[in-house]
Amino acid sequence: MSNGVDIEDIEGLADIAEAHTVMLELRPHLATVELFVQQIIRQQAQGYRLTAAWAGQKIVGLVGYRFQESLLFGRFVFVDDLVVTASFRKSGTGALLLDVARRYARELGCKQLVLETGLQKVLAQRFYFREGLLPHALGFAEALGEPTH
């Protein structure tokens, strides 16, 4: 326990469902618990890991991350999701969760920890700078519509 929270990996269906409310703050398009649980299960099958910060029986923060390999970064861990509830921001909980992904990257022999954040998320960017992350690229995306399969 550190900063009043316990850090634990999320694996069971009940804990995944419990994480929905917190993840909804970051990913509002995952509107139902069922959609969220199905998405996490699919991503876990592809190596996604979800770790929670618990204050008592309540999840107050989450980090979702996965190992990848690319020509640009070599072996690296990508942080897909990092969210802390408003009442636990500035408590060090975000830094603890980011450290989970860092440790995982180091355990796998990675030399990079990579994440993306929205250009409009200035407070998140400040947090990442304080944590030693530096901007490296500008990302682009294109909505392709609904899958045809």
Side-chain angles (χ1 to χ4, degrees):
M1 182 180 236
S2 182
N3 292 3
V5 298
D6 291 307
I7 306 295
E8 296 178 17
D9 290 336
I10 296 282
E11 293 173 359
L13 293 177
D15 286 342
I16 294 171
E18 181 74 23
H20 176 254
T21 302
V22 175
M23 189 64 81
L24 203 55
E25 292 185 29
L26 183 64
R27 308 286 182 227
H29 63 281
L30 296 171
T32 69
V33 173
E34 294 78 20
L35 284 174
F36 175 70
V37 170
Q38 291 170 5
Q39 183 69 40
I40 294 297
I41 290 169
R42 280 194 305 275
Q43 287 182 214
Q44 284 178 331
Q46 299 169 32
Y48 178 83
R49 299 169 62 101
L50 185 62
T51 302
W54 294 81
Q57 299 298 311
K58 184 176 179 182
I59 295 176
V60 296
L62 296 164
V63 62
Y65 52 100
R66 57 198 156 100
F67 168 78
Q68 290 189 296
E69 194 164 356
S70 73
L71 294 174
L72 177 61
F73 294 115
R75 297 168 53 87
F76 67 100
V77 166
F78 186 83
V79 176
D80 291 271
D81 311 294
L82 179 61
V83 59
V84 175
T85 60
S87 61
F88 274 79
R89 289 184 195 136
K90 299 189 180 189
S91 70
T93 302
L96 288 172
L97 289 168
L98 194 56
D99 280 344
V100 169
R102 275 192 188 106
R103 280 194 307 276
Y104 181 65
R106 287 183 177 121
E107 287 171 10
L108 296 178
C110 299
K111 294 184 179 180
Q112 298 280 336
L113 178 72
V114 179
L115 61 79
E116 295 176 355
T117 190
L119 294 173
Q120 78 284 7
K121 296 188 176 204
V122 177
L123 295 177
Q125 292 168 25
R126 287 181 188 164
F127 168 76
Y128 297 133
F129 275 114
R130 283 194 311 271
E131 288 298 309
L133 285 90
L134 300 173
H136 67 92
L138 178 62
F140 293 88
E142 176 184 2
L144 300 175
E146 293 298 318
T148 58
H149 58 290

mmCIF file of all heavy atoms in Angstrom, residues 115-140:
data_model
loop_
_atom_site.group_PDB
_atom_site.id
_atom_site.type_symbol
_atom_site.label_atom_id
_atom_site.label_comp_id
_atom_site.label_asym_id
_atom_site.label_seq_id
_atom_site.Cartn_x
_atom_site.Cartn_y
_atom_site.Cartn_z
ATOM 1 N N LEU A 115 3.281 6.466 -24.869
ATOM 2 C CA LEU A 115 1.846 6.707 -24.733
ATOM 3 C C LEU A 115 1.462 7.871 -25.616
ATOM 4 O O LEU A 115 2.312 8.610 -26.102
ATOM 5 C CB LEU A 115 1.434 6.947 -23.282
ATOM 6 C CG LEU A 115 2.029 8.128 -22.521
ATOM 7 C CD1 LEU A 115 1.354 9.437 -22.869
ATOM 8 C CD2 LEU A 115 1.892 7.878 -21.034
ATOM 9 N N GLU A 116 0.172 8.005 -25.832
ATOM 10 C CA GLU A 116 -0.371 9.126 -26.590
ATOM 11 C C GLU A 116 -1.408 9.807 -25.723
ATOM 12 O O GLU A 116 -2.069 9.162 -24.903
ATOM 13 C CB GLU A 116 -1.027 8.648 -27.884
ATOM 14 C CG GLU A 116 -0.054 8.018 -28.858
ATOM 15 C CD GLU A 116 -0.728 7.461 -30.099
ATOM 16 O OE1 GLU A 116 -1.976 7.478 -30.178
ATOM 17 O OE2 GLU A 116 -0.001 6.983 -30.976
ATOM 18 N N THR A 117 -1.543 11.111 -25.900
ATOM 19 C CA THR A 117 -2.585 11.850 -25.206
ATOM 20 C C THR A 117 -3.146 12.889 -26.166
ATOM 21 O O THR A 117 -2.475 13.294 -27.117
ATOM 22 C CB THR A 117 -2.056 12.506 -23.914
ATOM 23 O OG1 THR A 117 -3.166 13.011 -23.165
ATOM 24 C CG2 THR A 117 -1.084 13.627 -24.201
ATOM 25 N N GLY A 118 -4.361 13.282 -25.920
ATOM 26 C CA GLY A 118 -5.000 14.262 -26.784
ATOM 27 C C GLY A 118 -4.305 15.621 -26.722
ATOM 28 O O GLY A 118 -3.804 16.022 -25.669
ATOM 29 N N LEU A 119 -4.281 16.301 -27.853
ATOM 30 C CA LEU A 119 -3.660 17.627 -27.891
ATOM 31 C C LEU A 119 -4.345 18.599 -26.934
ATOM 32 O O LEU A 119 -3.723 19.518 -26.423
ATOM 33 C CB LEU A 119 -3.697 18.186 -29.317
ATOM 34 C CG LEU A 119 -2.862 17.422 -30.342
ATOM 35 C CD1 LEU A 119 -3.109 17.971 -31.744
ATOM 36 C CD2 LEU A 119 -1.387 17.499 -29.992
ATOM 37 N N GLN A 120 -5.633 18.388 -26.672
ATOM 38 C CA GLN A 120 -6.396 19.265 -25.793
ATOM 39 C C GLN A 120 -6.192 18.946 -24.312
ATOM 40 O O GLN A 120 -6.620 19.703 -23.456
ATOM 41 C CB GLN A 120 -7.893 19.189 -26.143
ATOM 42 C CG GLN A 120 -8.609 17.958 -25.628
ATOM 43 C CD GLN A 120 -8.344 16.655 -26.384
ATOM 44 O OE1 GLN A 120 -7.501 16.581 -27.260
ATOM 45 N NE2 GLN A 120 -9.068 15.605 -26.026
ATOM 46 N N LYS A 121 -5.518 17.863 -23.988
ATOM 47 C CA LYS A 121 -5.367 17.427 -22.594
ATOM 48 C C LYS A 121 -4.097 18.016 -21.977
ATOM 49 O O LYS A 121 -3.141 17.312 -21.669
ATOM 50 C CB LYS A 121 -5.380 15.907 -22.522
ATOM 51 C CG LYS A 121 -6.717 15.331 -22.958
ATOM 52 C CD LYS A 121 -6.797 13.869 -22.697
ATOM 53 C CE LYS A 121 -8.196 13.394 -23.065
ATOM 54 N NZ LYS A 121 -8.554 12.193 -22.376
ATOM 55 N N VAL A 122 -4.144 19.310 -21.753
ATOM 56 C CA VAL A 122 -2.979 20.048 -21.271
ATOM 57 C C VAL A 122 -2.554 19.572 -19.878
ATOM 58 O O VAL A 122 -1.357 19.437 -19.612
ATOM 59 C CB VAL A 122 -3.260 21.566 -21.283
ATOM 60 C CG1 VAL A 122 -2.097 22.343 -20.719
ATOM 61 C CG2 VAL A 122 -3.562 22.026 -22.707
ATOM 62 N N LEU A 123 -3.494 19.319 -18.994
ATOM 63 C CA LEU A 123 -3.128 18.869 -17.646
ATOM 64 C C LEU A 123 -2.461 17.495 -17.688
ATOM 65 O O LEU A 123 -1.503 17.248 -16.950
ATOM 66 C CB LEU A 123 -4.350 18.853 -16.726
ATOM 67 C CG LEU A 123 -4.969 20.219 -16.443
ATOM 68 C CD1 LEU A 123 -6.213 20.063 -15.578
ATOM 69 C CD2 LEU A 123 -3.967 21.151 -15.783
ATOM 70 N N ALA A 124 -2.945 16.612 -18.545
ATOM 71 C CA ALA A 124 -2.301 15.309 -18.696
ATOM 72 C C ALA A 124 -0.887 15.481 -19.243
ATOM 73 O O ALA A 124 0.051 14.827 -18.781
ATOM 74 C CB ALA A 124 -3.128 14.415 -19.620
ATOM 75 N N GLN A 125 -0.723 16.395 -20.202
ATOM 76 C CA GLN A 125 0.602 16.627 -20.769
ATOM 77 C C GLN A 125 1.575 17.125 -19.698
ATOM 78 O O GLN A 125 2.735 16.690 -19.643
ATOM 79 C CB GLN A 125 0.511 17.616 -21.924
ATOM 80 C CG GLN A 125 -0.228 17.053 -23.120
ATOM 81 C CD GLN A 125 -0.580 18.109 -24.143
ATOM 82 O OE1 GLN A 125 0.067 19.138 -24.231
ATOM 83 N NE2 GLN A 125 -1.634 17.855 -24.901
ATOM 84 N N ARG A 126 1.114 18.017 -18.834
ATOM 85 C CA ARG A 126 1.969 18.506 -17.744
ATOM 86 C C ARG A 126 2.394 17.357 -16.834
ATOM 87 O O ARG A 126 3.543 17.285 -16.406
ATOM 88 C CB ARG A 126 1.238 19.572 -16.937
ATOM 89 C CG ARG A 126 1.105 20.877 -17.655
ATOM 90 C CD ARG A 126 0.402 21.892 -16.782
ATOM 91 N NE ARG A 126 0.113 23.096 -17.545
ATOM 92 C CZ ARG A 126 -0.738 24.016 -17.169
ATOM 93 N NH1 ARG A 126 -1.405 23.901 -16.034
ATOM 94 N NH2 ARG A 126 -0.940 25.074 -17.917
ATOM 95 N N PHE A 127 1.432 16.491 -16.523
ATOM 96 C CA PHE A 127 1.742 15.323 -15.697
ATOM 97 C C PHE A 127 2.820 14.479 -16.368
ATOM 98 O O PHE A 127 3.794 14.079 -15.727
ATOM 99 C CB PHE A 127 0.473 14.503 -15.458
ATOM 100 C CG PHE A 127 0.741 13.144 -14.866
ATOM 101 C CD1 PHE A 127 1.056 13.000 -13.529
ATOM 102 C CD2 PHE A 127 0.677 12.003 -15.663
ATOM 103 C CE1 PHE A 127 1.311 11.741 -12.985
ATOM 104 C CE2 PHE A 127 0.918 10.751 -15.127
ATOM 105 C CZ PHE A 127 1.239 10.621 -13.784
ATOM 106 N N TYR A 128 2.685 14.202 -17.654
ATOM 107 C CA TYR A 128 3.657 13.360 -18.353
ATOM 108 C C TYR A 128 5.038 14.012 -18.385
ATOM 109 O O TYR A 128 6.046 13.333 -18.209
ATOM 110 C CB TYR A 128 3.172 13.026 -19.767
ATOM 111 C CG TYR A 128 1.900 12.216 -19.760
ATOM 112 C CD1 TYR A 128 0.832 12.554 -20.574
ATOM 113 C CD2 TYR A 128 1.750 11.119 -18.924
ATOM 114 C CE1 TYR A 128 -0.348 11.816 -20.555
ATOM 115 C CE2 TYR A 128 0.583 10.375 -18.895
ATOM 116 C CZ TYR A 128 -0.467 10.737 -19.715
ATOM 117 O OH TYR A 128 -1.619 10.004 -19.685
ATOM 118 N N PHE A 129 5.092 15.318 -18.586
ATOM 119 C CA PHE A 129 6.381 16.011 -18.525
ATOM 120 C C PHE A 129 7.007 15.829 -17.141
ATOM 121 O O PHE A 129 8.206 15.532 -17.029
ATOM 122 C CB PHE A 129 6.219 17.504 -18.828
ATOM 123 C CG PHE A 129 6.221 17.846 -20.285
ATOM 124 C CD1 PHE A 129 5.081 18.348 -20.886
ATOM 125 C CD2 PHE A 129 7.366 17.695 -21.055
ATOM 126 C CE1 PHE A 129 5.076 18.680 -22.235
ATOM 127 C CE2 PHE A 129 7.373 18.025 -22.404
ATOM 128 C CZ PHE A 129 6.229 18.518 -22.990
ATOM 129 N N ARG A 130 6.220 16.016 -16.083
ATOM 130 C CA ARG A 130 6.743 15.845 -14.721
ATOM 131 C C ARG A 130 7.247 14.433 -14.497
ATOM 132 O O ARG A 130 8.184 14.214 -13.714
ATOM 133 C CB ARG A 130 5.664 16.175 -13.674
ATOM 134 C CG ARG A 130 5.427 17.636 -13.463
ATOM 135 C CD ARG A 130 4.619 17.922 -12.196
ATOM 136 N NE ARG A 130 3.410 17.127 -12.053
ATOM 137 C CZ ARG A 130 2.201 17.463 -12.523
ATOM 138 N NH1 ARG A 130 2.040 18.594 -13.186
ATOM 139 N NH2 ARG A 130 1.165 16.671 -12.330
ATOM 140 N N GLU A 131 6.624 13.483 -15.154
ATOM 141 C CA GLU A 131 7.013 12.076 -15.006
ATOM 142 C C GLU A 131 8.187 11.694 -15.911
ATOM 143 O O GLU A 131 8.584 10.538 -15.947
ATOM 144 C CB GLU A 131 5.812 11.169 -15.280
ATOM 145 C CG GLU A 131 4.783 11.199 -14.178
ATOM 146 C CD GLU A 131 5.340 10.699 -12.859
ATOM 147 O OE1 GLU A 131 5.937 9.605 -12.835
ATOM 148 O OE2 GLU A 131 5.189 11.412 -11.848
ATOM 149 N N GLY A 132 8.713 12.636 -16.671
ATOM 150 C CA GLY A 132 9.893 12.374 -17.486
ATOM 151 C C GLY A 132 9.614 11.933 -18.905
ATOM 152 O O GLY A 132 10.539 11.589 -19.641
ATOM 153 N N LEU A 133 8.362 11.925 -19.321
ATOM 154 C CA LEU A 133 8.036 11.579 -20.701
ATOM 155 C C LEU A 133 8.131 12.829 -21.560
ATOM 156 O O LEU A 133 7.751 13.917 -21.125
ATOM 157 C CB LEU A 133 6.628 10.978 -20.789
ATOM 158 C CG LEU A 133 6.527 9.545 -20.270
ATOM 159 C CD1 LEU A 133 6.207 9.543 -18.794
ATOM 160 C CD2 LEU A 133 5.479 8.791 -21.031
ATOM 161 N N LEU A 134 8.621 12.664 -22.751
ATOM 162 C CA LEU A 134 8.781 13.780 -23.671
ATOM 163 C C LEU A 134 8.015 13.513 -24.955
ATOM 164 O O LEU A 134 7.919 12.362 -25.401
ATOM 165 C CB LEU A 134 10.262 13.997 -23.994
ATOM 166 C CG LEU A 134 11.145 14.320 -22.792
ATOM 167 C CD1 LEU A 134 12.610 14.337 -23.205
ATOM 168 C CD2 LEU A 134 10.735 15.649 -22.163
ATOM 169 N N PRO A 135 7.482 14.557 -25.597
ATOM 170 C CA PRO A 135 6.761 14.342 -26.859
ATOM 171 C C PRO A 135 7.724 13.874 -27.942
ATOM 172 O O PRO A 135 8.871 14.286 -27.992
ATOM 173 C CB PRO A 135 6.182 15.722 -27.185
ATOM 174 C CG PRO A 135 6.964 16.689 -26.382
ATOM 175 C CD PRO A 135 7.521 15.957 -25.206
ATOM 176 N N HIS A 136 7.232 12.979 -28.799
ATOM 177 C CA HIS A 136 8.080 12.430 -29.855
ATOM 178 C C HIS A 136 7.413 12.458 -31.224
ATOM 179 O O HIS A 136 8.084 12.256 -32.229
ATOM 180 C CB HIS A 136 8.508 10.999 -29.510
ATOM 181 C CG HIS A 136 7.363 10.040 -29.509
ATOM 182 N ND1 HIS A 136 6.999 9.331 -30.615
ATOM 183 C CD2 HIS A 136 6.476 9.712 -28.550
ATOM 184 C CE1 HIS A 136 5.947 8.588 -30.334
ATOM 185 N NE2 HIS A 136 5.605 8.802 -29.086
ATOM 186 N N ALA A 137 6.102 12.663 -31.280
ATOM 187 C CA ALA A 137 5.424 12.589 -32.574
ATOM 188 C C ALA A 137 4.066 13.276 -32.477
ATOM 189 O O ALA A 137 3.575 13.579 -31.396
ATOM 190 C CB ALA A 137 5.225 11.127 -32.987
ATOM 191 N N LEU A 138 3.474 13.476 -33.605
ATOM 192 C CA LEU A 138 2.103 13.947 -33.698
ATOM 193 C C LEU A 138 1.321 12.821 -34.356
ATOM 194 O O LEU A 138 1.658 12.394 -35.460
ATOM 195 C CB LEU A 138 2.030 15.226 -34.533
ATOM 196 C CG LEU A 138 0.653 15.823 -34.768
ATOM 197 C CD1 LEU A 138 0.017 16.234 -33.446
ATOM 198 C CD2 LEU A 138 0.762 17.039 -35.684
ATOM 199 N N GLY A 139 0.316 12.293 -33.674
ATOM 200 C CA GLY A 139 -0.434 11.155 -34.193
ATOM 201 C C GLY A 139 -1.590 11.597 -35.073
ATOM 202 O O GLY A 139 -2.137 12.683 -34.905
ATOM 203 N N PHE A 140 -1.950 10.758 -36.005
ATOM 204 C CA PHE A 140 -3.078 11.000 -36.900
ATOM 205 C C PHE A 140 -3.991 9.789 -36.883
ATOM 206 O O PHE A 140 -3.540 8.663 -36.691
ATOM 207 C CB PHE A 140 -2.599 11.257 -38.331
ATOM 208 C CG PHE A 140 -1.821 12.531 -38.486
ATOM 209 C CD1 PHE A 140 -0.454 12.559 -38.279
ATOM 210 C CD2 PHE A 140 -2.469 13.713 -38.825
ATOM 211 C CE1 PHE A 140 0.261 13.728 -38.413
ATOM 212 C CE2 PHE A 140 -1.759 14.892 -38.964
ATOM 213 C CZ PHE A 140 -0.396 14.905 -38.755
#
